[in-house]
C-alpha cells in the first residue's frame, strides 16, 4: 500500500452531484495497517488535506478512516484501488465511489 495513489471520486454531497481529484500518500505501514495523507480538490474549487489510517483484512478487504468519514469495500486489483466513501453528520453528508491508481 505504501506510495502515491491518484484518481477521482464521483457521487453525491449534500444531495448534489459532486466529483473531485484525490491523492492518497501512504507513508507508513506496519503489518496489515497503514497511514498517510489524502489531498482532494472538488470541481467547485474546494480543496483540503486530511490524515488517513487504514487496514487490510484477512480476505483482502480494505477500510480507511479520515477525520469524519470512512472508505469501505476497498478492493486492490492490478495497481488500482476501488473504494466507496461514506460521511454522515448533522453538518455534512456524502456518498461516493473512488478509483485510484498507484503512481
Amino acid at each position: 500500500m505504501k506510495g502515491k495513489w491518484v484518481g477521482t471520486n464521483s457521487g453525491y454531497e449534500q444531495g448534489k452531484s459532486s466529483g473531485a481529484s484525490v491523492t492518497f500518500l501512504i507513508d507508513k505501514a506496519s503489518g496489515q495497517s497503514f497511514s498517510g495523507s489524502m489531498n482532494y480538490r472538488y470541481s467547485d474549487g474546494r480543496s483540503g488535506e486530511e490524515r488517513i489510517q487504514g487496514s487490510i483484512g484477512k480476505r483482502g478487504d480494505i477500510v480507511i478512516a479520515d477525520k469524519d468519514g470512512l472508505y469501505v469495500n476497498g478492493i486492490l486489483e492490478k495497481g488500482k484501488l476501488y473504494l466507496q466513501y461514506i460521511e454522515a453528520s448533522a453538518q455534512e453528508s456524502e456518498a461516493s465511489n473512488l478509483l485510484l491508481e498507484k503512481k
Side-chain angles (χ1 to χ4, degrees), residues 16-90:
K16 297 178 183 172
S17 179
S18 70
S21 59
V22 179
T23 300
F24 284 8
L25 181 58
I26 308 300
D27 56 3
K28 295 178 184 174
S30 177
Q32 291 182 237
S33 298
F34 55 89
S35 70
S37 61
M38 184 239 342
N39 292 286
Y40 57 88
R41 177 174 295 281
Y42 284 94
S43 54
D44 65 7
R46 293 175 295 139
S47 63
E49 180 175 338
E50 295 184 31
R51 293 294 302 164
I52 56 174
Q53 293 73 227
S55 65
I56 303 170
K58 279 186 162 184
R59 296 185 193 115
D61 49 318
I62 300 168
V63 294
I64 301 171
D66 66 20
K67 70 178 183 177
D68 50 12
L70 293 172
Y71 297 86
V72 296
N73 299 327
I75 299 170
L76 182 59
E77 185 177 282
K78 298 180 183 176
K80 294 183 179 180
L81 179 58
Y82 301 88
L83 295 160
Q84 292 177 303
Y85 181 71
I86 301 294
E87 178 180 325
S89 71

